[in-house]
Amino acid sequence: MGWCEQHQVDYLFDLARNCRLQGAIAPEMTQARFNQQQQPVRLFTDLSYSTLNSWSCQRRVVAKAEVLPRGPNPRFVVTSLSADNHPAQPLYEQIYCARGEMENRIKEQQLDLFADRTSTHTFRANQLRLLMTSFAYVLVEGLRRGALQSTCLARATVGSIRLKLLKIGAQVTTSVRRIKVSMASGCPYQREFRLAWAHLPP
Protein backbone atom coordinates (compact mmCIF):
# COMPACT_ATOMS: atom_id res chain seq x y z
CA MET A 1 0.00 0.00 0.00
CA GLY A 2 2.88 2.34 0.75
CA TRP A 3 4.38 1.63 -2.68
CA CYS A 4 1.03 2.32 -4.36
CA GLU A 5 0.66 5.61 -2.52
CA GLN A 6 4.20 6.70 -3.41
CA HIS A 7 3.57 5.95 -7.09
CA GLN A 8 -0.01 7.33 -7.18
CA VAL A 9 -1.58 3.94 -7.88
CA ASP A 10 -5.06 3.36 -6.43
CA TYR A 11 -5.68 0.08 -4.64
CA LEU A 12 -8.48 -2.00 -3.14
CA PHE A 13 -7.38 -4.93 -0.97
CA ASP A 14 -9.05 -7.44 1.30
CA LEU A 15 -8.26 -6.81 4.96
CA ALA A 16 -8.20 -9.62 7.51
CA ARG A 17 -10.63 -9.13 10.37
CA ASN A 18 -9.39 -8.61 13.90
CA CYS A 19 -10.83 -7.66 17.29
CA ARG A 20 -10.32 -3.91 16.75
CA LEU A 21 -12.06 -3.90 13.37
CA GLN A 22 -14.94 -6.05 14.61
CA GLY A 23 -15.32 -3.82 17.64
CA ALA A 24 -15.49 -0.75 15.39
CA ILE A 25 -18.56 -2.12 13.58
CA ALA A 26 -20.28 -3.58 16.64
CA PRO A 27 -23.25 -1.14 16.35
CA GLU A 28 -23.79 -2.07 12.70
CA MET A 29 -23.59 -5.80 13.51
CA THR A 30 -26.12 -5.32 16.32
CA GLN A 31 -28.47 -3.49 13.96
CA ALA A 32 -28.02 -6.18 11.30
CA ARG A 33 -28.83 -8.91 13.84
CA PHE A 34 -31.93 -6.98 14.94
CA ASN A 35 -33.16 -6.69 11.31
CA GLN A 36 -32.22 -10.22 10.28
CA GLN A 37 -35.13 -12.58 9.70
CA GLN A 38 -34.74 -15.22 6.99
CA GLN A 39 -32.87 -13.08 4.46
CA PRO A 40 -29.25 -11.88 4.81
CA VAL A 41 -28.85 -8.30 6.05
CA ARG A 42 -25.95 -6.13 4.86
CA LEU A 43 -24.88 -2.77 6.25
CA PHE A 44 -21.85 -0.82 5.04
CA THR A 45 -19.78 1.78 6.83
CA ASP A 46 -16.54 3.73 6.40
CA LEU A 47 -13.73 3.61 8.94
CA SER A 48 -10.47 5.49 9.32
CA TYR A 49 -8.11 2.79 10.52
CA SER A 50 -4.45 2.15 11.21
CA THR A 51 -2.64 -0.88 12.55
CA LEU A 52 -0.70 -0.59 15.78
CA ASN A 53 2.72 -1.08 14.17
CA SER A 54 2.86 -1.98 10.47
CA TRP A 55 0.98 0.89 8.74
CA SER A 56 2.63 4.27 8.33
CA CYS A 57 -0.68 6.21 8.34
CA GLN A 58 -4.43 5.90 8.71
CA ARG A 59 -6.27 4.55 5.68
CA ARG A 60 -9.85 4.22 4.54
CA VAL A 61 -11.43 0.89 5.42
CA VAL A 62 -14.88 -0.11 4.15
CA ALA A 63 -16.66 -2.57 6.42
CA LYS A 64 -19.52 -4.87 5.54
CA ALA A 65 -21.63 -5.83 8.55
CA GLU A 66 -23.52 -8.87 7.31
CA VAL A 67 -25.63 -11.41 9.15
CA LEU A 68 -26.52 -14.61 7.29
CA PRO A 69 -28.95 -17.30 8.46
CA ARG A 70 -25.91 -19.32 9.56
CA GLY A 71 -24.36 -16.45 11.52
CA PRO A 72 -22.38 -13.17 11.28
CA ASN A 73 -20.09 -12.56 8.31
CA PRO A 74 -18.22 -9.24 8.72
CA ARG A 75 -15.78 -8.34 5.94
CA PHE A 76 -13.30 -5.50 5.48
CA VAL A 77 -11.44 -3.92 2.57
CA VAL A 78 -8.81 -1.18 2.58
CA THR A 79 -8.65 1.29 -0.29
CA SER A 80 -7.15 4.52 -1.55
CA LEU A 81 -10.34 5.42 -3.45
CA SER A 82 -12.16 8.41 -2.01
CA ALA A 83 -15.54 8.16 -0.32
CA ASP A 84 -16.83 11.10 -2.39
CA ASN A 85 -16.35 9.27 -5.68
CA HIS A 86 -16.82 5.72 -4.39
CA PRO A 87 -19.40 5.29 -1.61
CA ALA A 88 -18.98 2.25 0.62
CA GLN A 89 -21.66 -0.09 -0.72
CA PRO A 90 -21.01 0.37 -4.48
CA LEU A 91 -17.27 0.17 -3.82
CA TYR A 92 -17.65 -3.22 -2.15
CA GLU A 93 -20.39 -4.76 -4.27
CA GLN A 94 -19.52 -3.43 -7.73
CA ILE A 95 -15.74 -3.02 -7.64
CA TYR A 96 -14.38 -5.39 -5.01
CA CYS A 97 -16.79 -8.26 -5.72
CA ALA A 98 -16.07 -7.95 -9.46
CA ARG A 99 -12.51 -9.00 -8.62
CA GLY A 100 -13.91 -12.20 -7.13
CA GLU A 101 -15.91 -12.83 -10.28
CA MET A 102 -12.74 -12.41 -12.34
CA GLU A 103 -11.03 -14.99 -10.13
CA ASN A 104 -13.91 -17.40 -10.83
CA ARG A 105 -13.21 -17.09 -14.55
CA ILE A 106 -9.53 -17.86 -13.96
CA LYS A 107 -10.51 -20.92 -11.89
CA GLU A 108 -12.75 -22.08 -14.73
CA GLN A 109 -9.80 -22.12 -17.10
CA GLN A 110 -7.53 -23.77 -14.56
CA LEU A 111 -9.89 -26.47 -13.31
CA ASP A 112 -12.39 -27.06 -16.12
CA LEU A 113 -9.93 -26.81 -19.03
CA PHE A 114 -6.89 -28.13 -17.14
CA ALA A 115 -4.70 -25.03 -17.49
CA ASP A 116 -2.87 -26.11 -14.33
CA ARG A 117 -1.34 -29.13 -16.07
CA THR A 118 2.05 -27.56 -16.73
CA SER A 119 4.18 -30.44 -15.53
CA THR A 120 6.48 -30.99 -18.50
CA HIS A 121 10.21 -30.34 -18.23
CA THR A 122 10.46 -27.48 -20.73
CA PHE A 123 9.08 -23.97 -20.52
CA ARG A 124 7.93 -23.99 -24.15
CA ALA A 125 5.83 -27.12 -23.75
CA ASN A 126 4.13 -25.70 -20.66
CA GLN A 127 3.59 -22.39 -22.44
CA LEU A 128 2.00 -24.22 -25.39
CA ARG A 129 -0.37 -26.07 -23.05
CA LEU A 130 -1.40 -22.80 -21.42
CA LEU A 131 -1.94 -21.14 -24.80
CA MET A 132 -4.13 -24.04 -25.95
CA THR A 133 -6.29 -23.89 -22.81
CA SER A 134 -6.57 -20.10 -23.19
CA PHE A 135 -7.71 -20.55 -26.78
CA ALA A 136 -10.22 -23.21 -25.68
CA TYR A 137 -11.59 -20.87 -22.99
CA VAL A 138 -12.08 -18.06 -25.51
CA LEU A 139 -13.98 -20.44 -27.80
CA VAL A 140 -16.26 -21.77 -25.04
CA GLU A 141 -16.87 -18.26 -23.69
CA GLY A 142 -17.81 -17.12 -27.20
CA LEU A 143 -20.18 -20.07 -27.44
CA ARG A 144 -21.74 -19.17 -24.10
CA ARG A 145 -22.21 -15.49 -25.00
CA GLY A 146 -23.24 -15.94 -28.62
CA ALA A 147 -25.07 -19.24 -28.96
CA LEU A 148 -26.36 -20.22 -25.53
CA GLN A 149 -28.11 -17.03 -24.37
CA SER A 150 -31.61 -18.44 -24.86
CA THR A 151 -30.86 -21.79 -23.20
CA CYS A 152 -30.47 -23.16 -19.69
CA LEU A 153 -26.69 -23.09 -20.22
CA ALA A 154 -26.53 -19.30 -20.62
CA ARG A 155 -24.89 -18.93 -17.20
CA ALA A 156 -23.29 -22.36 -17.01
CA THR A 157 -19.65 -22.83 -16.16
CA VAL A 158 -17.13 -23.92 -18.76
CA GLY A 159 -17.05 -27.35 -17.12
CA SER A 160 -20.83 -27.75 -17.42
CA ILE A 161 -20.81 -26.69 -21.08
CA ARG A 162 -17.96 -29.07 -21.83
CA LEU A 163 -19.68 -32.01 -20.16
CA LYS A 164 -23.29 -31.36 -21.22
CA LEU A 165 -22.86 -29.95 -24.71
CA LEU A 166 -19.50 -31.00 -26.09
CA LYS A 167 -18.53 -34.26 -24.38
CA ILE A 168 -21.32 -36.39 -25.84
CA GLY A 169 -21.39 -39.56 -27.90
CA ALA A 170 -22.62 -39.56 -31.49
CA GLN A 171 -22.41 -41.68 -34.61
CA VAL A 172 -20.57 -40.03 -37.48
CA THR A 173 -21.36 -41.20 -41.00
CA THR A 174 -19.41 -39.84 -43.96
CA SER A 175 -20.34 -39.95 -47.62
CA VAL A 176 -19.16 -38.21 -50.77
CA ARG A 177 -21.54 -35.27 -50.28
CA ARG A 178 -21.93 -34.83 -46.54
CA ILE A 179 -20.95 -35.75 -43.02
CA LYS A 180 -23.86 -36.87 -40.85
CA VAL A 181 -23.73 -36.74 -37.05
CA SER A 182 -26.42 -38.83 -35.35
CA MET A 183 -26.99 -38.16 -31.67
CA ALA A 184 -28.74 -40.60 -29.36
CA SER A 185 -32.48 -40.04 -29.03
CA GLY A 186 -32.10 -40.00 -25.26
CA CYS A 187 -29.53 -37.17 -25.22
CA PRO A 188 -30.77 -34.84 -22.42
CA TYR A 189 -29.56 -31.60 -24.02
CA GLN A 190 -30.80 -31.97 -27.60
CA ARG A 191 -32.74 -28.69 -27.47
CA GLU A 192 -29.72 -26.73 -26.24
CA PHE A 193 -27.50 -28.35 -28.86
CA ARG A 194 -29.93 -27.44 -31.67
CA LEU A 195 -30.34 -23.86 -30.44
CA ALA A 196 -26.58 -23.41 -30.11
CA TRP A 197 -26.08 -24.77 -33.62
CA ALA A 198 -28.78 -22.46 -34.99
CA HIS A 199 -27.23 -19.39 -33.35
CA LEU A 200 -23.70 -20.05 -34.57
CA PRO A 201 -22.66 -17.70 -37.39
CA PRO A 202 -22.45 -19.35 -40.83
Side-chain angles (χ1 to χ4, degrees):
M1 289 183 286
W3 184 94
C4 290
E5 288 161 354
Q6 289 174 11
H7 293 82
Q8 297 182 333
V9 176
D10 284 322
Y11 57 83
L12 175 58
F13 299 138
D14 183 40
L15 185 62
R17 71 184 74 172
N18 58 43
C19 294
R20 289 177 59 215
L21 285 169
Q22 294 186 121
I25 64 166
E28 287 79 10
M29 291 299 296
T30 301
Q31 183 180 350
R33 285 192 188 94
F34 180 77
N35 294 334
Q36 198 265 339
Q37 300 294 327
Q38 295 297 319
Q39 299 298 321
V41 175
R42 280 183 170 185
L43 300 174
F44 293 87
T45 187
D46 267 296
L47 306 173
S48 184
Y49 176 79
S50 177
T51 61
L52 296 177
N53 299 311
S54 57
W55 288 11
S56 60
C57 62
Q58 287 195 332
R59 296 184 169 99
R60 180 191 179 199
V61 170
V62 170
K64 177 188 74 169
E66 181 178 50
V67 177
L68 302 171
R70 63 176 181 270
N73 182 39
R75 296 291 300 272
F76 304 91
V77 295
V78 57
T79 183
S80 63
L81 300 171
S82 69
D84 293 335
N85 296 329
H86 301 279
Q89 185 168 354
L91 176 89
Y92 188 92
E93 293 182 336
Q94 298 174 16
I95 302 177
Y96 177 74
C97 291
R99 172 208 54 82
E101 185 62 20
M102 176 187 66
E103 287 182 359
N104 290 336
R105 305 287 75 79
I106 294 171
K107 287 179 183 176
E108 275 191 310
Q109 183 182 350
Q110 284 183 325
L111 303 178
D112 295 339
L113 295 174
F114 314 108
D116 58 342
R117 291 187 180 176
T118 52
S119 55
T120 58
H121 297 294
T122 64
F123 175 81
R124 286 187 176 182
N126 288 328
Q127 184 184 34
L128 179 62
R129 284 185 173 189
L130 188 57
L131 286 172
M132 294 297 286
T133 58
S134 299
F135 183 61
Y137 182 84
V138 170
L139 286 176
V140 177
E141 177 60 23
L143 181 68
R144 177 166 52 190
R145 281 186 288 108
L148 296 174
Q149 284 303 305
S150 57
T151 72
C152 65
L153 298 175
R155 297 180 58 84
T157 64
V158 168
S160 294
I161 294 172
R162 184 174 62 85
L163 290 173
K164 295 176 179 179
L165 200 69
L166 304 178
K167 194 177 179 181
I168 56 177
Q171 184 181 44
V172 181
T173 306
T174 60
S175 65
V176 177
R177 296 184 180 178
R178 62 182 177 178
I179 299 173
K180 183 178 180 182
V181 179
S182 302
M183 296 170 61
S185 60
C187 178
Y189 293 96
Q190 294 180 57
R191 175 182 175 274
E192 286 72 20
F193 195 94
R194 290 193 185 99
L195 286 172
W197 178 264
H199 285 93
L200 287 174

